[in-house]
Amino acid sequence: MYAKDLGGNRSNFQIYHEIDVQRVIERSLWTFKNAPLIFERLKPRDVPRAMRLHHLEIWVQLHDIRSGFKTERVVRDAGNYIGGFIKSDENNFNGVWRDYLRVRVRIDIEKPLKRIMKL
């Protein structure tokens, strides 16, 4: 990996292997001094200093969902309500002792968080 400071709390990280890139993306939320690191994958012709960084991908826990509503569709709808659905935890529907469901979402950090969703 190669890192370059771009100034203004921005850095450019160059990761050489696609497997490592996917590992970084899949295992985020990354933090530094208890603050989330917001990152975007550059596309050809993107200018790193000009990119607008305002989306964050995180895992969200869904609590107090009644057993009849514990479905993949409800998890997807909840993810889209919170932000943008990315994926559901593969262990959401395994076992009977699960108190909550998990969904990975992409949220806009410039908008207020949503706390309650009525089903």
PDB file of all heavy atoms in Angstrom, residues 26-59:
ATOM      1  N   GLU A  26     -14.966  -4.332   2.521  1.00  0.00           N
ATOM      2  CA  GLU A  26     -15.855  -5.230   3.254  1.00  0.00           C
ATOM      3  C   GLU A  26     -15.719  -5.097   4.767  1.00  0.00           C
ATOM      4  O   GLU A  26     -16.688  -5.276   5.489  1.00  0.00           O
ATOM      5  CB  GLU A  26     -15.587  -6.689   2.856  1.00  0.00           C
ATOM      6  CG  GLU A  26     -16.087  -7.046   1.488  1.00  0.00           C
ATOM      7  CD  GLU A  26     -17.607  -7.054   1.397  1.00  0.00           C
ATOM      8  OE1 GLU A  26     -18.260  -7.557   2.322  1.00  0.00           O
ATOM      9  OE2 GLU A  26     -18.115  -6.530   0.397  1.00  0.00           O
ATOM     10  N   ARG A  27     -14.540  -4.811   5.249  1.00  0.00           N
ATOM     11  CA  ARG A  27     -14.313  -4.766   6.695  1.00  0.00           C
ATOM     12  C   ARG A  27     -14.422  -3.378   7.286  1.00  0.00           C
ATOM     13  O   ARG A  27     -14.054  -3.168   8.441  1.00  0.00           O
ATOM     14  CB  ARG A  27     -12.962  -5.387   7.029  1.00  0.00           C
ATOM     15  CG  ARG A  27     -12.935  -6.855   6.712  1.00  0.00           C
ATOM     16  CD  ARG A  27     -11.679  -7.493   7.188  1.00  0.00           C
ATOM     17  NE  ARG A  27     -11.691  -8.920   6.848  1.00  0.00           N
ATOM     18  CZ  ARG A  27     -10.654  -9.696   6.939  1.00  0.00           C
ATOM     19  NH1 ARG A  27      -9.500  -9.223   7.360  1.00  0.00           N
ATOM     20  NH2 ARG A  27     -10.737 -10.963   6.622  1.00  0.00           N
ATOM     21  N   SER A  28     -14.877  -2.400   6.509  1.00  0.00           N
ATOM     22  CA  SER A  28     -15.048  -1.080   7.094  1.00  0.00           C
ATOM     23  C   SER A  28     -16.244  -1.147   8.030  1.00  0.00           C
ATOM     24  O   SER A  28     -17.056  -2.044   7.935  1.00  0.00           O
ATOM     25  CB  SER A  28     -15.242  -0.040   5.999  1.00  0.00           C
ATOM     26  OG  SER A  28     -16.454  -0.223   5.326  1.00  0.00           O
ATOM     27  N   LEU A  29     -16.328  -0.451   8.961  1.00  0.00           N
ATOM     28  CA  LEU A  29     -16.090   0.929   9.248  1.00  0.00           C
ATOM     29  C   LEU A  29     -14.700   1.089   9.880  1.00  0.00           C
ATOM     30  O   LEU A  29     -14.419   0.549  10.936  1.00  0.00           O
ATOM     31  CB  LEU A  29     -17.186   1.438  10.185  1.00  0.00           C
ATOM     32  CG  LEU A  29     -17.109   2.840  10.680  1.00  0.00           C
ATOM     33  CD1 LEU A  29     -17.388   3.843   9.584  1.00  0.00           C
ATOM     34  CD2 LEU A  29     -18.091   3.055  11.796  1.00  0.00           C
ATOM     35  N   TRP A  30     -13.853   1.839   9.201  1.00  0.00           N
ATOM     36  CA  TRP A  30     -12.523   2.130   9.709  1.00  0.00           C
ATOM     37  C   TRP A  30     -12.584   3.452  10.460  1.00  0.00           C
ATOM     38  O   TRP A  30     -13.294   4.372  10.076  1.00  0.00           O
ATOM     39  CB  TRP A  30     -11.524   2.214   8.555  1.00  0.00           C
ATOM     40  CG  TRP A  30     -11.425   0.938   7.792  1.00  0.00           C
ATOM     41  CD1 TRP A  30     -12.055   0.625   6.622  1.00  0.00           C
ATOM     42  CD2 TRP A  30     -10.676  -0.221   8.153  1.00  0.00           C
ATOM     43  NE1 TRP A  30     -11.731  -0.645   6.225  1.00  0.00           N
ATOM     44  CE2 TRP A  30     -10.885  -1.196   7.151  1.00  0.00           C
ATOM     45  CE3 TRP A  30      -9.844  -0.544   9.224  1.00  0.00           C
ATOM     46  CZ2 TRP A  30     -10.296  -2.443   7.182  1.00  0.00           C
ATOM     47  CZ3 TRP A  30      -9.260  -1.792   9.254  1.00  0.00           C
ATOM     48  CH2 TRP A  30      -9.490  -2.726   8.250  1.00  0.00           C
ATOM     49  N   THR A  31     -11.823   3.552  11.547  1.00  0.00           N
ATOM     50  CA  THR A  31     -11.810   4.784  12.329  1.00  0.00           C
ATOM     51  C   THR A  31     -10.379   5.226  12.602  1.00  0.00           C
ATOM     52  O   THR A  31      -9.442   4.435  12.561  1.00  0.00           O
ATOM     53  CB  THR A  31     -12.528   4.596  13.686  1.00  0.00           C
ATOM     54  OG1 THR A  31     -11.854   3.588  14.433  1.00  0.00           O
ATOM     55  CG2 THR A  31     -13.985   4.227  13.502  1.00  0.00           C
ATOM     56  N   PHE A  32     -10.255   6.509  12.905  1.00  0.00           N
ATOM     57  CA  PHE A  32      -8.989   7.087  13.333  1.00  0.00           C
ATOM     58  C   PHE A  32      -9.321   8.073  14.443  1.00  0.00           C
ATOM     59  O   PHE A  32     -10.111   8.994  14.222  1.00  0.00           O
ATOM     60  CB  PHE A  32      -8.283   7.782  12.176  1.00  0.00           C
ATOM     61  CG  PHE A  32      -6.976   8.410  12.559  1.00  0.00           C
ATOM     62  CD1 PHE A  32      -5.868   7.624  12.832  1.00  0.00           C
ATOM     63  CD2 PHE A  32      -6.865   9.789  12.661  1.00  0.00           C
ATOM     64  CE1 PHE A  32      -4.662   8.203  13.194  1.00  0.00           C
ATOM     65  CE2 PHE A  32      -5.660  10.374  13.009  1.00  0.00           C
ATOM     66  CZ  PHE A  32      -4.557   9.576  13.288  1.00  0.00           C
ATOM     67  N   LYS A  33      -8.774   7.846  15.634  1.00  0.00           N
ATOM     68  CA  LYS A  33      -9.075   8.668  16.812  1.00  0.00           C
ATOM     69  C   LYS A  33     -10.581   8.751  17.049  1.00  0.00           C
ATOM     70  O   LYS A  33     -11.140   9.826  17.254  1.00  0.00           O
ATOM     71  CB  LYS A  33      -8.461  10.062  16.676  1.00  0.00           C
ATOM     72  CG  LYS A  33      -6.947  10.063  16.679  1.00  0.00           C
ATOM     73  CD  LYS A  33      -6.395  11.469  16.676  1.00  0.00           C
ATOM     74  CE  LYS A  33      -4.880  11.424  16.710  1.00  0.00           C
ATOM     75  NZ  LYS A  33      -4.290  12.761  16.683  1.00  0.00           N
ATOM     76  N   ASN A  34     -11.240   7.610  16.977  1.00  0.00           N
ATOM     77  CA  ASN A  34     -12.681   7.468  17.207  1.00  0.00           C
ATOM     78  C   ASN A  34     -13.552   8.228  16.211  1.00  0.00           C
ATOM     79  O   ASN A  34     -14.716   8.490  16.482  1.00  0.00           O
ATOM     80  CB  ASN A  34     -13.060   7.861  18.634  1.00  0.00           C
ATOM     81  CG  ASN A  34     -12.556   6.868  19.644  1.00  0.00           C
ATOM     82  OD1 ASN A  34     -12.443   5.686  19.353  1.00  0.00           O
ATOM     83  ND2 ASN A  34     -12.234   7.336  20.835  1.00  0.00           N
ATOM     84  N   ALA A  35     -13.016   8.596  15.081  1.00  0.00           N
ATOM     85  CA  ALA A  35     -13.801   9.245  14.026  1.00  0.00           C
ATOM     86  C   ALA A  35     -13.796   8.333  12.805  1.00  0.00           C
ATOM     87  O   ALA A  35     -12.771   7.728  12.473  1.00  0.00           O
ATOM     88  CB  ALA A  35     -13.189  10.598  13.665  1.00  0.00           C
ATOM     89  N   PRO A  36     -14.946   8.183  12.149  1.00  0.00           N
ATOM     90  CA  PRO A  36     -14.994   7.291  10.978  1.00  0.00           C
ATOM     91  C   PRO A  36     -14.184   7.840   9.815  1.00  0.00           C
ATOM     92  O   PRO A  36     -14.147   9.047   9.583  1.00  0.00           O
ATOM     93  CB  PRO A  36     -16.482   7.238  10.622  1.00  0.00           C
ATOM     94  CG  PRO A  36     -17.063   8.459  11.220  1.00  0.00           C
ATOM     95  CD  PRO A  36     -16.233   8.796  12.422  1.00  0.00           C
ATOM     96  N   LEU A  37     -13.501   6.940   9.115  1.00  0.00           N
ATOM     97  CA  LEU A  37     -12.798   7.309   7.893  1.00  0.00           C
ATOM     98  C   LEU A  37     -13.769   7.127   6.726  1.00  0.00           C
ATOM     99  O   LEU A  37     -14.331   6.053   6.535  1.00  0.00           O
ATOM    100  CB  LEU A  37     -11.571   6.428   7.677  1.00  0.00           C
ATOM    101  CG  LEU A  37     -10.432   6.597   8.670  1.00  0.00           C
ATOM    102  CD1 LEU A  37      -9.346   5.579   8.388  1.00  0.00           C
ATOM    103  CD2 LEU A  37      -9.869   7.993   8.606  1.00  0.00           C
ATOM    104  N   ILE A  38     -13.966   8.165   5.980  1.00  0.00           N
ATOM    105  CA  ILE A  38     -14.859   8.121   4.828  1.00  0.00           C
ATOM    106  C   ILE A  38     -13.993   7.978   3.595  1.00  0.00           C
ATOM    107  O   ILE A  38     -13.071   8.756   3.384  1.00  0.00           O
ATOM    108  CB  ILE A  38     -15.714   9.395   4.761  1.00  0.00           C
ATOM    109  CG1 ILE A  38     -16.563   9.490   6.022  1.00  0.00           C
ATOM    110  CG2 ILE A  38     -16.569   9.400   3.508  1.00  0.00           C
ATOM    111  CD1 ILE A  38     -17.282  10.791   6.160  1.00  0.00           C
ATOM    112  N   PHE A  39     -14.296   6.957   2.804  1.00  0.00           N
ATOM    113  CA  PHE A  39     -13.472   6.738   1.614  1.00  0.00           C
ATOM    114  C   PHE A  39     -14.337   6.361   0.434  1.00  0.00           C
ATOM    115  O   PHE A  39     -15.444   5.858   0.568  1.00  0.00           O
ATOM    116  CB  PHE A  39     -12.397   5.684   1.866  1.00  0.00           C
ATOM    117  CG  PHE A  39     -12.911   4.322   2.232  1.00  0.00           C
ATOM    118  CD1 PHE A  39     -13.190   3.380   1.253  1.00  0.00           C
ATOM    119  CD2 PHE A  39     -13.103   3.978   3.554  1.00  0.00           C
ATOM    120  CE1 PHE A  39     -13.663   2.132   1.590  1.00  0.00           C
ATOM    121  CE2 PHE A  39     -13.567   2.731   3.901  1.00  0.00           C
ATOM    122  CZ  PHE A  39     -13.852   1.805   2.913  1.00  0.00           C
ATOM    123  N   GLU A  40     -13.832   6.646  -0.726  1.00  0.00           N
ATOM    124  CA  GLU A  40     -14.466   6.294  -2.001  1.00  0.00           C
ATOM    125  C   GLU A  40     -13.400   5.677  -2.883  1.00  0.00           C
ATOM    126  O   GLU A  40     -12.234   6.089  -2.850  1.00  0.00           O
ATOM    127  CB  GLU A  40     -15.030   7.528  -2.709  1.00  0.00           C
ATOM    128  CG  GLU A  40     -16.216   8.147  -2.047  1.00  0.00           C
ATOM    129  CD  GLU A  40     -17.500   7.385  -2.280  1.00  0.00           C
ATOM    130  OE1 GLU A  40     -17.592   6.623  -3.274  1.00  0.00           O
ATOM    131  OE2 GLU A  40     -18.415   7.529  -1.456  1.00  0.00           O
ATOM    132  N   ARG A  41     -13.810   4.738  -3.674  1.00  0.00           N
ATOM    133  CA  ARG A  41     -12.896   4.149  -4.638  1.00  0.00           C
ATOM    134  C   ARG A  41     -12.818   5.070  -5.852  1.00  0.00           C
ATOM    135  O   ARG A  41     -13.846   5.474  -6.404  1.00  0.00           O
ATOM    136  CB  ARG A  41     -13.398   2.771  -5.045  1.00  0.00           C
ATOM    137  CG  ARG A  41     -12.399   2.041  -5.859  1.00  0.00           C
ATOM    138  CD  ARG A  41     -12.753   0.598  -5.961  1.00  0.00           C
ATOM    139  NE  ARG A  41     -11.677  -0.083  -6.646  1.00  0.00           N
ATOM    140  CZ  ARG A  41     -11.645  -1.365  -6.863  1.00  0.00           C
ATOM    141  NH1 ARG A  41     -12.618  -2.124  -6.427  1.00  0.00           N
ATOM    142  NH2 ARG A  41     -10.646  -1.908  -7.488  1.00  0.00           N
ATOM    143  N   LEU A  42     -11.603   5.420  -6.246  1.00  0.00           N
ATOM    144  CA  LEU A  42     -11.428   6.325  -7.381  1.00  0.00           C
ATOM    145  C   LEU A  42     -11.722   5.615  -8.692  1.00  0.00           C
ATOM    146  O   LEU A  42     -11.404   4.442  -8.862  1.00  0.00           O
ATOM    147  CB  LEU A  42      -9.997   6.862  -7.424  1.00  0.00           C
ATOM    148  CG  LEU A  42      -9.590   7.793  -6.283  1.00  0.00           C
ATOM    149  CD1 LEU A  42      -8.100   8.106  -6.382  1.00  0.00           C
ATOM    150  CD2 LEU A  42     -10.386   9.060  -6.321  1.00  0.00           C
ATOM    151  N   LYS A  43     -12.332   6.359  -9.584  1.00  0.00           N
ATOM    152  CA  LYS A  43     -12.558   5.878 -10.945  1.00  0.00           C
ATOM    153  C   LYS A  43     -11.546   6.569 -11.850  1.00  0.00           C
ATOM    154  O   LYS A  43     -10.961   7.583 -11.468  1.00  0.00           O
ATOM    155  CB  LYS A  43     -13.976   6.210 -11.382  1.00  0.00           C
ATOM    156  CG  LYS A  43     -15.042   5.524 -10.539  1.00  0.00           C
ATOM    157  CD  LYS A  43     -16.420   6.016 -10.931  1.00  0.00           C
ATOM    158  CE  LYS A  43     -17.461   5.536  -9.954  1.00  0.00           C
ATOM    159  NZ  LYS A  43     -17.494   6.303  -8.726  1.00  0.00           N
ATOM    160  N   PRO A  44     -11.338   6.036 -13.054  1.00  0.00           N
ATOM    161  CA  PRO A  44     -10.420   6.722 -13.957  1.00  0.00           C
ATOM    162  C   PRO A  44     -10.846   8.179 -14.157  1.00  0.00           C
ATOM    163  O   PRO A  44     -12.019   8.482 -14.262  1.00  0.00           O
ATOM    164  CB  PRO A  44     -10.540   5.929 -15.265  1.00  0.00           C
ATOM    165  CG  PRO A  44     -10.999   4.573 -14.831  1.00  0.00           C
ATOM    166  CD  PRO A  44     -11.863   4.796 -13.628  1.00  0.00           C
ATOM    167  N   ARG A  45      -9.887   9.037 -14.157  1.00  0.00           N
ATOM    168  CA  ARG A  45     -10.056  10.484 -14.345  1.00  0.00           C
ATOM    169  C   ARG A  45     -10.628  11.217 -13.136  1.00  0.00           C
ATOM    170  O   ARG A  45     -10.898  12.407 -13.215  1.00  0.00           O
ATOM    171  CB  ARG A  45     -10.901  10.781 -15.588  1.00  0.00           C
ATOM    172  CG  ARG A  45     -10.270  10.284 -16.864  1.00  0.00           C
ATOM    173  CD  ARG A  45     -11.019  10.817 -18.079  1.00  0.00           C
ATOM    174  NE  ARG A  45     -10.432  10.298 -19.285  1.00  0.00           N
ATOM    175  CZ  ARG A  45     -10.959   9.335 -20.027  1.00  0.00           C
ATOM    176  NH1 ARG A  45     -12.103   8.812 -19.716  1.00  0.00           N
ATOM    177  NH2 ARG A  45     -10.341   8.930 -21.117  1.00  0.00           N
ATOM    178  N   ASP A  46     -10.857  10.526 -11.999  1.00  0.00           N
ATOM    179  CA  ASP A  46     -11.276  11.218 -10.776  1.00  0.00           C
ATOM    180  C   ASP A  46     -10.108  12.026 -10.228  1.00  0.00           C
ATOM    181  O   ASP A  46      -8.963  11.594 -10.289  1.00  0.00           O
ATOM    182  CB  ASP A  46     -11.727  10.225  -9.704  1.00  0.00           C
ATOM    183  CG  ASP A  46     -13.153   9.767  -9.879  1.00  0.00           C
ATOM    184  OD1 ASP A  46     -13.883  10.372 -10.693  1.00  0.00           O
ATOM    185  OD2 ASP A  46     -13.546   8.798  -9.206  1.00  0.00           O
ATOM    186  N   VAL A  47     -10.420  13.175  -9.677  1.00  0.00           N
ATOM    187  CA  VAL A  47      -9.417  14.026  -9.040  1.00  0.00           C
ATOM    188  C   VAL A  47      -9.617  13.903  -7.529  1.00  0.00           C
ATOM    189  O   VAL A  47     -10.636  14.362  -7.003  1.00  0.00           O
ATOM    190  CB  VAL A  47      -9.570  15.499  -9.490  1.00  0.00           C
ATOM    191  CG1 VAL A  47      -8.548  16.378  -8.798  1.00  0.00           C
ATOM    192  CG2 VAL A  47      -9.470  15.600 -11.001  1.00  0.00           C
ATOM    193  N   PRO A  48      -8.672  13.268  -6.822  1.00  0.00           N
ATOM    194  CA  PRO A  48      -8.871  13.005  -5.386  1.00  0.00           C
ATOM    195  C   PRO A  48      -9.173  14.245  -4.554  1.00  0.00           C
ATOM    196  O   PRO A  48     -10.028  14.201  -3.671  1.00  0.00           O
ATOM    197  CB  PRO A  48      -7.550  12.375  -4.950  1.00  0.00           C
ATOM    198  CG  PRO A  48      -6.974  11.790  -6.185  1.00  0.00           C
ATOM    199  CD  PRO A  48      -7.421  12.698  -7.300  1.00  0.00           C
ATOM    200  N   ARG A  49      -8.527  15.350  -4.818  1.00  0.00           N
ATOM    201  CA  ARG A  49      -8.760  16.565  -4.026  1.00  0.00           C
ATOM    202  C   ARG A  49     -10.137  17.175  -4.286  1.00  0.00           C
ATOM    203  O   ARG A  49     -10.648  17.915  -3.463  1.00  0.00           O
ATOM    204  CB  ARG A  49      -7.677  17.595  -4.324  1.00  0.00           C
ATOM    205  CG  ARG A  49      -6.353  17.262  -3.696  1.00  0.00           C
ATOM    206  CD  ARG A  49      -5.337  18.392  -3.877  1.00  0.00           C
ATOM    207  NE  ARG A  49      -4.113  18.093  -3.206  1.00  0.00           N
ATOM    208  CZ  ARG A  49      -3.047  17.566  -3.792  1.00  0.00           C
ATOM    209  NH1 ARG A  49      -3.057  17.302  -5.077  1.00  0.00           N
ATOM    210  NH2 ARG A  49      -1.956  17.318  -3.102  1.00  0.00           N
ATOM    211  N   ALA A  50     -10.741  16.868  -5.425  1.00  0.00           N
ATOM    212  CA  ALA A  50     -12.029  17.450  -5.781  1.00  0.00           C
ATOM    213  C   ALA A  50     -13.221  16.549  -5.441  1.00  0.00           C
ATOM    214  O   ALA A  50     -14.364  16.976  -5.563  1.00  0.00           O
ATOM    215  CB  ALA A  50     -12.048  17.768  -7.280  1.00  0.00           C
ATOM    216  N   MET A  51     -12.950  15.335  -5.009  1.00  0.00           N
ATOM    217  CA  MET A  51     -14.049  14.408  -4.708  1.00  0.00           C
ATOM    218  C   MET A  51     -14.825  14.872  -3.482  1.00  0.00           C
ATOM    219  O   MET A  51     -14.238  15.327  -2.508  1.00  0.00           O
ATOM    220  CB  MET A  51     -13.516  12.998  -4.474  1.00  0.00           C
ATOM    221  CG  MET A  51     -13.070  12.325  -5.738  1.00  0.00           C
ATOM    222  SD  MET A  51     -12.725  10.591  -5.494  1.00  0.00           S
ATOM    223  CE  MET A  51     -14.359   9.966  -5.200  1.00  0.00           C
ATOM    224  N   ARG A  52     -16.135  14.722  -3.561  1.00  0.00           N
ATOM    225  CA  ARG A  52     -17.003  15.062  -2.443  1.00  0.00           C
ATOM    226  C   ARG A  52     -17.225  13.789  -1.623  1.00  0.00           C
ATOM    227  O   ARG A  52     -17.815  12.837  -2.113  1.00  0.00           O
ATOM    228  CB  ARG A  52     -18.328  15.588  -2.980  1.00  0.00           C
ATOM    229  CG  ARG A  52     -19.178  16.187  -1.944  1.00  0.00           C
ATOM    230  CD  ARG A  52     -20.280  17.012  -2.588  1.00  0.00           C
ATOM    231  NE  ARG A  52     -21.239  17.333  -1.575  1.00  0.00           N
ATOM    232  CZ  ARG A  52     -22.514  17.007  -1.629  1.00  0.00           C
ATOM    233  NH1 ARG A  52     -22.993  16.387  -2.671  1.00  0.00           N
ATOM    234  NH2 ARG A  52     -23.314  17.328  -0.649  1.00  0.00           N
ATOM    235  N   LEU A  53     -16.721  13.787  -0.400  1.00  0.00           N
ATOM    236  CA  LEU A  53     -16.821  12.623   0.467  1.00  0.00           C
ATOM    237  C   LEU A  53     -17.935  12.849   1.481  1.00  0.00           C
ATOM    238  O   LEU A  53     -17.755  13.539   2.476  1.00  0.00           O
ATOM    239  CB  LEU A  53     -15.494  12.367   1.183  1.00  0.00           C
ATOM    240  CG  LEU A  53     -14.297  12.094   0.273  1.00  0.00           C
ATOM    241  CD1 LEU A  53     -13.015  12.030   1.078  1.00  0.00           C
ATOM    242  CD2 LEU A  53     -14.500  10.821  -0.509  1.00  0.00           C
ATOM    243  N   HIS A  54     -19.108  12.273   1.211  1.00  0.00           N
ATOM    244  CA  HIS A  54     -20.228  12.482   2.119  1.00  0.00           C
ATOM    245  C   HIS A  54     -21.077  11.226   2.323  1.00  0.00           C
ATOM    246  O   HIS A  54     -22.164  11.293   2.889  1.00  0.00           O
ATOM    247  CB  HIS A  54     -21.105  13.645   1.642  1.00  0.00           C
ATOM    248  CG  HIS A  54     -21.691  13.442   0.285  1.00  0.00           C
ATOM    249  ND1 HIS A  54     -22.984  13.037   0.100  1.00  0.00           N
ATOM    250  CD2 HIS A  54     -21.167  13.576  -0.947  1.00  0.00           C
ATOM    251  CE1 HIS A  54     -23.226  12.930  -1.192  1.00  0.00           C
ATOM    252  NE2 HIS A  54     -22.135  13.247  -1.848  1.00  0.00           N
ATOM    253  N   HIS A  55     -20.590  10.067   1.878  1.00  0.00           N
ATOM    254  CA  HIS A  55     -21.300   8.805   2.105  1.00  0.00           C
ATOM    255  C   HIS A  55     -20.443   7.870   2.958  1.00  0.00           C
ATOM    256  O   HIS A  55     -19.233   7.824   2.808  1.00  0.00           O
ATOM    257  CB  HIS A  55     -21.645   8.122   0.778  1.00  0.00           C
ATOM    258  CG  HIS A  55     -22.766   8.790   0.082  1.00  0.00           C
ATOM    259  ND1 HIS A  55     -22.578   9.662  -0.959  1.00  0.00           N
ATOM    260  CD2 HIS A  55     -24.107   8.725   0.280  1.00  0.00           C
ATOM    261  CE1 HIS A  55     -23.749  10.099  -1.378  1.00  0.00           C
ATOM    262  NE2 HIS A  55     -24.692   9.548  -0.644  1.00  0.00           N
ATOM    263  N   LEU A  56     -21.126   7.131   3.821  1.00  0.00           N
ATOM    264  CA  LEU A  56     -20.463   6.218   4.734  1.00  0.00           C
ATOM    265  C   LEU A  56     -21.214   4.892   4.712  1.00  0.00           C
ATOM    266  O   LEU A  56     -22.444   4.871   4.817  1.00  0.00           O
ATOM    267  CB  LEU A  56     -20.476   6.809   6.149  1.00  0.00           C
ATOM    268  CG  LEU A  56     -19.822   6.032   7.269  1.00  0.00           C
ATOM    269  CD1 LEU A  56     -18.324   5.897   7.033  1.00  0.00           C
ATOM    270  CD2 LEU A  56     -20.078   6.722   8.596  1.00  0.00           C
ATOM    271  N   GLU A  57     -20.487   3.797   4.550  1.00  0.00           N
ATOM    272  CA  GLU A  57     -21.097   2.470   4.595  1.00  0.00           C
ATOM    273  C   GLU A  57     -20.889   1.885   5.985  1.00  0.00           C
ATOM    274  O   GLU A  57     -19.755   1.807   6.469  1.00  0.00           O
ATOM    275  CB  GLU A  57     -20.472   1.557   3.541  1.00  0.00           C
ATOM    276  CG  GLU A  57     -20.808   1.950   2.134  1.00  0.00           C
ATOM    277  CD  GLU A  57     -20.285   0.967   1.103  1.00  0.00           C
ATOM    278  OE1 GLU A  57     -19.800  -0.127   1.482  1.00  0.00           O
ATOM    279  OE2 GLU A  57     -20.360   1.293  -0.088  1.00  0.00           O
ATOM    280  N   ILE A  58     -21.995   1.492   6.627  1.00  0.00           N
ATOM    281  CA  ILE A  58     -21.924   0.943   7.976  1.00  0.00           C
ATOM    282  C   ILE A  58     -22.924  -0.205   8.134  1.00  0.00           C
ATOM    283  O   ILE A  58     -23.879  -0.322   7.368  1.00  0.00           O
ATOM    284  CB  ILE A  58     -22.208   2.008   9.065  1.00  0.00           C
ATOM    285  CG1 ILE A  58     -23.613   2.598   8.900  1.00  0.00           C
ATOM    286  CG2 ILE A  58     -21.173   3.094   9.066  1.00  0.00           C
ATOM    287  CD1 ILE A  58     -24.028   3.478  10.059  1.00  0.00           C
ATOM    288  N   TRP A  59     -22.672  -1.033   9.149  1.00  0.00           N
ATOM    289  CA  TRP A  59     -23.625  -2.063   9.551  1.00  0.00           C
ATOM    290  C   TRP A  59     -24.560  -1.448  10.579  1.00  0.00           C
ATOM    291  O   TRP A  59     -24.131  -0.776  11.506  1.00  0.00           O
ATOM    292  CB  TRP A  59     -22.911  -3.260  10.168  1.00  0.00           C
ATOM    293  CG  TRP A  59     -22.241  -4.125   9.170  1.00  0.00           C
ATOM    294  CD1 TRP A  59     -20.917  -4.154   8.860  1.00  0.00           C
ATOM    295  CD2 TRP A  59     -22.863  -5.103   8.329  1.00  0.00           C
ATOM    296  NE1 TRP A  59     -20.681  -5.085   7.888  1.00  0.00           N
ATOM    297  CE2 TRP A  59     -21.861  -5.686   7.541  1.00  0.00           C
ATOM    298  CE3 TRP A  59     -24.180  -5.535   8.162  1.00  0.00           C
ATOM    299  CZ2 TRP A  59     -22.124  -6.679   6.608  1.00  0.00           C
ATOM    300  CZ3 TRP A  59     -24.448  -6.524   7.233  1.00  0.00           C
ATOM    301  CH2 TRP A  59     -23.425  -7.087   6.466  1.00  0.00           C
TER     302      TRP A  59
END
